[in-house]
Amino acid sequence: MVLNIDRRGVVLGGGLGLGALVLPAGRALAAGMLGATGFTHNVASGEPGPDSMLLWTRYVPVAGDDTVRLEVEVALDPAFTRVVSGGVVRTGAYRDWTAKITVDGLKPGTVYWYRFVAPDGSKSPIGRTKSLPVGPVARFGLAVFSCSNLPQGFFNAYAHAAARTDLDLWLHTGDYIYEYGVASTREADWAPGRKEQLLPATEILAIADYRLRYASYRADPDLQRLHQMAPMVALWDDHESANDSWEGGAQNHQPATEGDWTVRRAAAMQAYREWMPVSEEPWKAYPIGTLATLYRTESRLLARTKPADIGASFMAADPDAALRAFRDGVWRDPAATMLGTTQESWLAHSMKAQAGAWQLIGMGTIIGRTMMPEGAVDWLRPETSEKKAAGYRNNIRAARAGLPMWMDRWDGYPAARSRLLKSAQAADADLVMLSGDSHNAWAYALSEDGRPAGVEFAGQSVTSNGLENDFAADPRIVAQGFVAANPELKWADTSQRGYMMIDITPQRVTGEWRFMQTIKARNTELAGSHRLHVERGRRVLAG
């Protein structure tokens, strides 16, 4: 089922209860929301294994029912003449009527079709999924997505990927939703008709808000189709909770006016786990036969320490001296962590145990070292505010001291970054980092202690604005400037939206950045692409 929420309103049903009435969008939509029943948001699959799969749907029964019991059928054909697995699952208002079930007894590397059956005999849309292979694998394909800000554009990247037949799996590295309200996006950046589809219209804070935001995103037909066609491995980044979040807070959370962070964090985590085809495991490894292992990581809400505050250095009487002290002190603190020691240890041991296979780590933020180019201020648009221009000047000043431009990613945690890369080197791993968050496209050859440590394919956003929003200069000049200023960075595109295609074979991993022609209208035409690869054992990028 595809919901046209701009015409009919988003469907939440009894999951919100009376809470819907106090939301900014609630009063106008309450009657339509609370009256809707049935399978409201299509189906999805995730957490693939060689013999199991997690299946998801959402079903709202008739008013008055507290819970509902759904049957699941898994077949080898879309007509369901060869049903081979299934089960039953119960859901209710307590989890916003979302349902998840893991089915077993599947065969490796096999395409399956699945559906849910309600007590009244009605059936969900039919989903397609594929189990992971075992043994030798000649080729495996996955698409990587990140940063989908709904008001800023249409999900054409999802639509393009969903229509392909050469992909086995989706990887979403975070910012699947954004917590902001429509006022946080400049009117000039809205895509026609998209603003009205974002619910609630204000920033999300409570459990009802987060549920409604997921419901509005998951009503998008292109996102529904993506989930319907293949399994997804998904991890959250910051915007599933609040911008620049960490274990104890977030840049976009003000306790004085928005309440206790732990309450908001718990609401964000609960809604994510309700609405996404994910398990309750905080991190996980997915073996792709003997070819590769894909890792889902958690680097935001469970153990990440507060980012080091570089801002005070720019306000000091001698900023350059303050930056050097910051660089040699708090910035290098070995106690600072993105993953936490438990996950760090798990990842190090896992890479060592999987020696001989490609090690693909899905990560919310980029690990490649990036400093602001000296000439970046000259690229700014004439209308750039003084506040933003000052931020660029500060980043350039920090670069002169050997400091990166973003403290919120791995660059801000250099000791933790070093530990991760050293663990890859100790495991003799063919490491491939797959990351998002920055909204632009980047390719890095990672190094540690002067030795190659792996490569990174960092993907552009599905819709969120990138550096092109700030710069008037030719994007080719901007990209060349970043590459020249950063030894690890081998290629960049700072102006286009889309997704990454990762093609894995025993001898080579190829990353292809696919750029959409537009995001301001529904259009699946490509504007172009760029491809790089890494050979087994080389740990450097080639064209």
Side-chain angles (χ1 to χ4, degrees):
M1 176 184 295
V2 173
L3 300 179
N4 296 308
I5 60 176
D6 53 332
R7 296 199 303 269
R8 297 174 54 191
V10 70
V11 177
L12 279 184
L16 283 179
L18 295 178
L21 301 177
V22 300
L23 293 173
R27 293 184 179 89
L29 298 176
M33 287 191 297
L34 300 180
T37 59
F39 292 100
T40 65
H41 286 79
N42 213 304
V43 295
S45 64
E47 303 295 355
D51 59 358
S52 64
M53 187 70 67
L54 185 150
L55 307 177
W56 179 99
T57 195
R58 185 172 185 274
Y59 180 83
V60 182
V62 296
D65 291 346
D66 294 327
T67 61
V68 65
R69 184 176 178 273
L70 303 174
E71 296 184 0
V72 181
E73 298 175 338
V74 181
L76 289 169
D77 64 310
F80 288 83
T81 62
R82 293 180 290 167
V83 175
V84 296
S85 185
V88 291
V89 62
R90 185 183 297 174
T91 187
Y94 57 89
R95 56 170 301 112
D96 202 15
W97 301 106
T98 61
K100 293 191 294 190
I101 181 173
T102 297
V103 295
D104 288 305
L106 308 183
K107 293 183 178 180
T110 302
V111 171
Y112 290 95
W113 307 85
Y114 64 94
R115 65 188 178 190
F116 291 79
V117 182
D120 63 1
S122 62
K123 297 178 175 64
S124 72
I126 296 170
R128 176 189 180 276
T129 193
K130 188 176 183 180
S131 57
L132 293 180
V134 298
V137 179
R139 185 257 175 197
F140 192 87
L142 65 119
V144 183
F145 309 94
S146 69
C147 304
S148 309
N149 196 329
L150 189 146
Q152 292 185 1
F154 290 92
F155 294 160
N156 296 331
Y158 293 152
H160 189 274
R164 297 178 61 166
T165 59
D166 58 343
L167 295 170
D168 300 289
L169 181 67
W170 316 132
L171 172 64
H172 206 295
T173 61
D175 296 345
Y176 181 97
I177 66 165
Y178 277 69
E179 85 280 17
Y180 299 131
V182 294
S184 296
T185 298
R186 298 183 312 163
E187 187 171 357
D189 294 331
W190 293 339
R194 292 295 266 180
K195 178 187 70 168
E196 293 77 16
Q197 296 177 354
L198 187 74
L199 299 175
T202 55
E203 184 178 338
I204 53 177
L205 296 171
I207 182 65
D209 301 339
Y210 282 97
R211 286 171 168 172
L212 181 55
R213 185 59 56 84
Y214 279 101
S216 66
Y217 268 68
R218 292 293 296 275
D220 182 89
D222 296 321
L223 181 50
Q224 285 194 9
R225 186 64 173 169
L226 185 80
H227 278 296
Q228 192 177 3
M229 294 308 295
M232 177 181 285
V233 168
L235 54 105
W236 61 50
D237 193 34
D238 54 340
H239 288 293
E240 287 87 352
S241 53
N243 184 57
D244 289 358
S245 51
W246 56 285
E247 181 183 12
Q251 176 274 331
N252 191 31
H253 182 79
Q254 292 72 46
T257 57
E258 296 176 333
D260 188 340
W261 166 248
T262 60
V263 174
R264 183 178 185 180
R265 183 182 69 159
M269 292 169 64
Q270 178 176 333
Y272 185 88
R273 287 170 172 162
E274 289 171 349
W275 278 87
M276 297 294 289
V278 297
S279 69
E280 306 301 300
E281 300 156 285
W283 49 80
K284 192 172 182 177
Y286 307 86
I288 304 170
T290 58
L291 176 67
T293 300
L294 173 66
Y295 300 95
R296 170 169 60 81
T297 60
E298 197 292 315
S299 60
R300 274 292 170 191
L301 300 178
L302 301 183
R304 178 194 278 243
T305 54
K306 188 175 183 179
D309 182 11
I310 194 174
S313 300
F314 301 119
M315 306 300 293
D318 186 344
D320 295 323
L323 286 168
R324 289 192 295 271
F326 173 84
R327 177 197 63 200
D328 298 334
V330 64
W331 182 59
R332 299 184 186 275
D333 184 2
T337 178
M338 294 273 281
L339 304 177
T341 55
T342 300
Q343 189 178 182
E344 283 186 14
S345 177
W346 165 79
L347 192 54
H349 284 88
S350 297
M351 285 193 288
K352 189 171 291 186
Q354 300 299 323
W358 291 103
Q359 308 288 306
L360 309 172
I361 300 181
M363 190 65 66
T365 54
I366 292 173
I367 196 170
R369 188 149 288 157
T370 318
M371 292 186 288
M372 187 65 72
E374 187 73 26
V377 170
D378 298 330
W379 304 334
L380 293 174
R381 296 182 184 277
E383 66 272 20
T384 300
S385 69
E386 174 52 32
K387 180 180 179 181
K388 177 165 284 190
Y392 275 93
R393 288 194 294 269
N394 285 340
N395 279 328
I396 293 169
R397 193 165 201 164
R400 293 171 187 153
L403 288 164
M405 53 191 272
W406 289 308
M407 288 295 155
D408 181 61
R409 57 190 230 182
W410 281 91
D411 262 348
Y413 300 75
R417 175 194 135 107
S418 179
R419 290 194 297 270
L420 191 155
L421 294 181
K422 284 181 178 178
S423 68
Q425 290 173 330
D428 195 26
D430 282 299
L431 175 67
V432 179
M433 301 295 298
L434 304 173
S435 55
D437 182 64
S438 78
H439 305 178
N440 294 117
W442 316 84
Y444 298 86
L446 306 171
S447 65
E448 179 63 27
D449 288 338
R451 297 185 295 120
V455 302
E456 180 171 33
F457 299 113
Q460 72 275 36
S461 65
V462 172
T463 62
S464 302
N465 290 331
L467 288 171
E468 76 283 352
N469 233 35
D470 292 342
F471 296 146
D474 186 325
R476 290 171 296 183
I477 293 175
V478 174
Q480 290 166 7
F482 271 97
V483 170
N486 294 282
E488 287 189 343
L489 182 62
K490 304 306 177 184
W491 172 84
D493 179 278
T494 62
S495 65
Q496 300 185 83
R497 313 278 73 79
Y499 70 103
M500 284 194 303
M501 161 69 188
I502 305 297
D503 191 88
I504 311 160
T505 67
Q507 293 304 317
R508 174 183 292 191
V509 173
T510 302
E512 182 181 0
W513 293 262
R514 296 207 155 192
F515 302 112
M516 306 312 300
Q517 204 171 83
T518 182
I519 60 169
K520 299 307 181 185
R522 292 195 183 280
N523 182 342
T524 57
E525 295 297 318
L526 291 179
S529 65
H530 186 80
R531 184 178 294 185
L532 292 170
H533 69 267
V534 57
E535 299 285 345
R536 169 78 72 182
R538 295 295 305 278
R539 293 157 204 172
V540 294
L541 290 167

